[in-house]
C-alpha cells in the first residue's frame, strides 16, 4: 500500500519513466486490445495484484479473497503483491508481454499508463448504476480527458486532505488556534504572522513548491488547463500573485530555506516543534502520535484549506480490470467485492485510509469524534466529512506529469529566490509546460 510518506511526486516520478518506456516499447493506443464480454457466469481463475500490502495486511486481504471464493466456488483467485519500487515499470513490462493481471491495483497517477492506451475495461459500461456506490470525487478520478463518460477503474481506498497544526506555536505567534485558515490566502496571512512573531525559532510551513502545485492554484480558482484540456493556461495575475507571496514569505523566514530546493523530513521538523503546519494527511497525525507524543499533545486538526470553490483534493487507489480478461464476470464481481462498503470499512480500521464506497463512509466509525480532544480521532472524522463532497478541483490532472511539475517548479524556485521576477517565472513555466504537453500528444 502507498503510505502517506509515499507522495504524489514520488509516484509521478515512476509514471514519467514508465510513460517513456511505454512509448519506446511501441505499446499502441486504444483499440489494439480485444474486449471481453460478460457471460453471466462468475467462474474461472483470475489473478489479483496489489501494491505493497504484504505482510502488514496479509490476513485482511486473504480473508476478503476467501470469503469471495466461498460465495463463488467456481472462482479461483491467485493473489500477488509487489513492492512499490518499480511498480509502474512492471505494469509496462506486463502490458507489453500480454501478462497483465485480471484485477490490478492502480493509483490515480499510474492507471493512466493502462487506461489511456485501451488496456482497461470501462467499468461504467460494465455496471451502469455502480457510480452511485462510490464517493463522487473518487469515481470521477478514473475518467480520462477526451474519453467521454468512460471510467476505467473501481475506486478503492482514498486519503483526503486535512489541516494539521501546532496550537502552541499558533499561540506564540498571536494566532487563535480555534480559528485556523480556510483558504490559501488566509494560510499565507497566518504564515506571515508566524514568521514575524517567531523570531526565527520556528517556521510556518515547508516551501515544497512541487507539493503545493498545482493544488494551491486550483484552490485559488486559477485555470490550469483550457476547456479542451490540451493546453496549460495558468499564466494569470493570480498565479503571479502566488509567486510574489511565496517570495515574500521565503524572505521573511516563514519556511525553512532549504525546503525550497529539496524535500526535508517534515515529520522530523514538525515533531521537533520547528514548523507550525504539518502535512495535510490523517496518516501524518498517526505518525506524530507514535513518534513525537509531546508534540502530538499540542497538535490540532481542522478541515483542509480550500479555496474559491470550496473543494479539497483526494488521493485514491483503485482496481482496474484487464480489458481482455478471459473471465470478465469473475474479475468485475471480485473488484466490486473488494471495494464494497463492509470490506472497505474493515480495511480502514486496519490502516489510516478511508472508503471510497459511500455506504462504507457512512459507517459510524468515521463520524465518531470521541471527546473532541484526540487529534487522530478528530482527523478521521474531519477527513470523512470532507470526502462526502470532495471534488476534482484540487487534484493533479493527468496532464501535469512529473516532467511538467519539474519544469514549473524550476521557474518558481528561481522567482522565490529572487533570480527572476514572478511574471517572467509564470510565463516561462507555462511555455515549458505546453511544450511538454505538445510533445506528449505527438508520441
Amino acid at each position: 500500500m502507498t503510505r502517506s510518506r509515499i507522495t504524489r511526486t514520488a509516484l509521478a516520478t515512476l509514471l514519467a519513466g514508465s510513460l517513456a518506456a511505454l512509448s519506446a516499447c511501441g505499446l499502441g493506443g486504444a483499440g489494439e486490445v480485444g474486449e471481453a464480454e460478460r457471460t453471466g457466469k462468475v467462474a474461472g481463475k483470475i489473478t489479483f495484484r496489489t501494491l505493497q500490502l504484504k505482510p502488514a495486511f496479509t490476513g485482511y486481504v486473504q480473508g476478503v479473497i476467501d470469503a469471495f471464493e466461498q460465495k463463488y466456488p467456481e472462482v479461483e483467485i491467485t493473489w500477488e503483491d509487489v513492492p512499490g519500487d518499480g511498480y509502474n515499470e512492471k505494469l509496462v513490462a506486463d502490458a507489453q508481454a500480454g501478462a497483465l493481471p485480471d484485477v490490478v491495483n492502480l493509483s490515480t497517477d499510474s492507471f493512466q499508463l493502462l487506461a489511456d492506451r485501451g488496456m482497461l475495461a470501462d467499468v461504467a459500461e460494465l455496471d451502469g448504476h455502480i457510480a452511485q456506490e462510490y464517493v463522487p470525487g473518487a469515481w470521477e478520478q478514473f475518467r480520462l480527458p477526451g474519453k467521454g463518460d468512460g471510467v476505467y477503474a473501481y475506486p478503492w481506498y482514498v486519503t483526503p486532505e486535512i489541516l494539521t497544526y501546532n496550537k502552541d506555536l499558533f499561540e506564540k505567534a498571536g494566532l487563535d488556534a480555534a480559528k485556523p485558515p480556510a483558504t490559501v490566502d488566509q494560510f499565507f496571512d497566518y504564515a506571515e504572522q508566524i514568521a514575524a512573531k517567531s523570531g526565527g525559532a520556528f517556521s510556518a510551513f515547508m516551501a515544497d513548491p512541487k507539493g503545493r502545485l498545482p493544488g494551491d492554484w486550483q484552490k485559488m480558482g486559477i485555470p490550469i488547463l483550457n476547456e479542451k484540456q490540451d493546453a496549460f493556461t495558468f499564466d494569470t495575475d493570480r498565479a503571479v500573485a502566488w509567486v510574489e507571496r511565496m517570495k515574500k514569505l521565503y524572505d521573511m523566514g516563514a519556511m525553512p530555506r532549504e525546503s525550497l530546493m529539496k524535500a526535508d523530513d517534515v515529520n522530523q521538523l514538525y515533531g521537533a516543534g520547528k514548523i507550525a503546519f504539518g502535512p495535510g494527511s490523517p496518516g501524518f497525525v498517526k505518525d506524530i502520535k507514535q513518534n513525537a507524543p509531546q508534540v502530538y499533545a499540542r497538535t490540532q486538526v481542522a478541515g483542509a484549506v480550500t479555496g474559491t470553490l470550496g473543494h479539497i483534493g483526494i488521493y485514491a487507489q483503485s482496481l482496474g480490470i484487464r480489458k481482455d480478461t478471459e473471465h470478465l464476470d469473475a474479475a468485475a464481481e471480485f473488484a466490486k467485492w473488494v471495494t464494497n462498503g463492509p470490506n472497505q470499512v474493515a480495511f480502514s480500521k486496519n490502516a489510516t485510509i478511508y472508503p471510497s464506497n459511500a455506504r462504507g463512509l457512512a459507517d459510524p466509525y468515521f463520524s465518531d469524534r470521541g471527546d473532541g480532544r484526540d487529534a487522530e480521532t478528530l482527523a478521521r472524522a474531519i477527513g470523512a466529512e470532507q470526502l462526502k463532497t470532495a471534488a476534482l478541483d484540487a487534484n493533479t490532472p493527468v496532464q501535469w506529469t512529473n516532467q511538467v511539475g519539474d519544469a514549473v517548479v524550476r521557474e518558481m524556485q528561481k522567482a522565490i529566490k529572487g533570480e527572476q521576477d514572478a511574471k517572467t517565472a509564470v510565463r516561462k513555466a507555462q511555455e515549458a509546460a505546453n511544450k511538454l504537453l505538445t510533445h506528449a500528444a505527438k508520441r
Side-chain angles (χ1 to χ4, degrees):
M1 184 179 79
T2 50
R3 314 298 176 94
S4 61
R5 291 183 290 270
I6 300 179
T7 63
R8 176 178 292 273
T9 297
L11 285 167
T13 301
L14 289 174
L15 178 62
S18 299
L19 283 169
L22 195 58
S23 178
C25 290
L27 187 61
E32 292 191 2
V33 176
E35 186 168 2
E37 294 183 1
R38 283 190 179 274
T39 64
K41 186 176 183 180
V42 182
K45 295 181 179 181
I46 61 173
T47 302
F48 173 43
R49 178 182 295 170
T50 55
L51 173 60
Q52 206 169 306
L53 293 184
K54 291 182 178 180
F57 304 102
T58 298
Y60 165 76
V61 176
Q62 192 60 56
V64 171
I65 292 171
D66 292 345
F68 185 81
E69 289 179 335
Q70 184 175 2
K71 182 176 181 179
Y72 298 101
E74 294 185 63
V75 176
E76 181 180 334
I77 298 170
T78 298
W79 174 30
E80 58 180 48
D81 187 73
V82 299
D85 291 342
Y87 187 67
N88 284 2
E89 288 86 344
K90 182 170 177 57
L91 288 178
V92 171
D94 288 343
Q96 185 185 6
L100 283 175
D102 301 282
V103 181
V104 59
N105 183 182
L106 301 167
S107 70
T108 49
D109 300 291
S110 63
F111 101 102
Q112 185 199 8
L113 280 170
L114 305 181
D116 198 35
R117 287 155 178 79
M119 307 300 291
L120 299 177
D122 181 349
V123 302
E125 185 175 344
L126 286 176
D127 295 290
H129 303 292
I130 197 68
Q132 63 189 5
E133 297 291 325
Y134 301 97
V135 175
W139 179 256
E140 295 294 325
Q141 288 254 8
F142 301 101
R143 295 192 188 278
L144 288 173
K147 299 290 185 180
D149 295 329
V151 176
Y152 297 92
Y154 294 98
W156 195 7
Y157 57 91
V158 298
T159 304
E161 289 182 271
I162 62 169
L163 186 68
T164 305
Y165 57 99
N166 184 318
K167 57 186 177 183
D168 281 9
L169 298 186
F170 259 48
E171 291 169 1
K172 288 180 180 179
L175 296 168
D176 185 349
K179 296 179 180 179
T183 68
V184 175
D185 289 322
Q186 287 179 359
F187 181 87
F188 285 161
D189 290 342
Y190 278 48
E192 185 171 334
Q193 184 162 332
I194 289 168
K197 299 286 188 179
S198 69
F202 55 91
S203 301
F205 66 101
M206 306 295 282
D208 187 23
K210 190 160 189 176
R212 302 197 67 84
L213 296 177
D216 275 8
W217 287 350
Q218 290 165 308
K219 291 176 180 182
M220 294 168 69
I222 296 169
I224 303 302
L225 292 157
N226 63 7
E227 188 173 345
K228 294 174 65 177
Q229 298 195 330
D230 61 1
F232 288 104
T233 57
F234 54 77
D235 184 1
T236 63
D237 290 342
R238 289 286 282 155
V240 171
W242 180 91
V243 181
E244 291 173 340
R245 195 74 189 276
M246 284 284 286
K247 181 184 185 308
K248 179 181 180 181
L249 291 169
Y250 183 73
D251 290 343
M252 291 181 68
M255 56 197 85
R257 298 192 70 81
E258 62 274 13
S259 69
L260 178 63
M261 304 302 294
K262 65 184 183 71
D264 288 327
D265 187 343
V266 65
N267 290 43
Q268 184 177 13
L269 288 173
Y270 183 88
K274 295 297 184 181
I275 55 173
F277 290 103
S281 162
F284 167 76
V285 179
K286 184 175 183 178
D287 287 343
I288 291 298
K289 185 176 186 178
Q290 294 174 341
N291 300 317
Q294 291 183 329
V295 172
Y296 176 78
R298 304 194 291 270
T299 293
Q300 199 149 317
V301 295
V305 168
T306 56
T308 57
L309 300 178
H311 294 154
I312 68 166
I314 61 175
Y315 179 74
Q317 293 280 324
S318 66
L319 296 181
I321 306 297
R322 175 176 170 165
K323 188 176 180 180
D324 60 350
T325 177
E326 294 182 9
H327 305 290
L328 181 59
D329 295 85
E333 290 304 317
F334 179 67
K336 288 191 293 183
W337 175 264
V338 174
T339 62
N340 71 23
N343 282 328
Q344 288 211 41
V345 170
F347 195 7
S348 299
K349 290 181 178 179
N350 283 277
T352 310
I353 56 175
Y354 294 76
S356 63
N357 184 283
R359 294 179 184 177
L361 196 60
D363 188 282
Y365 174 73
F366 299 102
S367 59
D368 179 16
R369 291 176 174 249
D371 61 6
R373 292 181 291 182
D374 180 64
E376 184 181 9
T377 303
L378 279 173
R380 181 171 60 243
I382 290 169
E385 184 64 31
Q386 294 199 137
L387 276 173
K388 294 175 183 177
T389 56
L392 297 179
D393 305 314
N395 288 331
T396 302
V398 294
Q399 295 90 337
W400 189 284
T401 63
N402 186 63
Q403 292 149 309
V404 168
D406 284 343
V408 172
V409 166
R410 278 194 294 271
E411 303 304 330
M412 300 303 105
Q413 289 170 332
K414 292 176 187 176
I416 293 168
K417 288 192 296 180
E419 295 175 359
Q420 66 180 350
D421 66 87
K423 190 174 183 63
T424 299
V426 174
R427 175 181 56 79
K428 290 172 66 176
Q430 180 171 294
E431 289 173 353
N434 277 324
K435 285 181 181 178
L436 289 166
L437 187 60
T438 300
H439 177 69
K442 291 179 179 178
R443 283 200 305 227

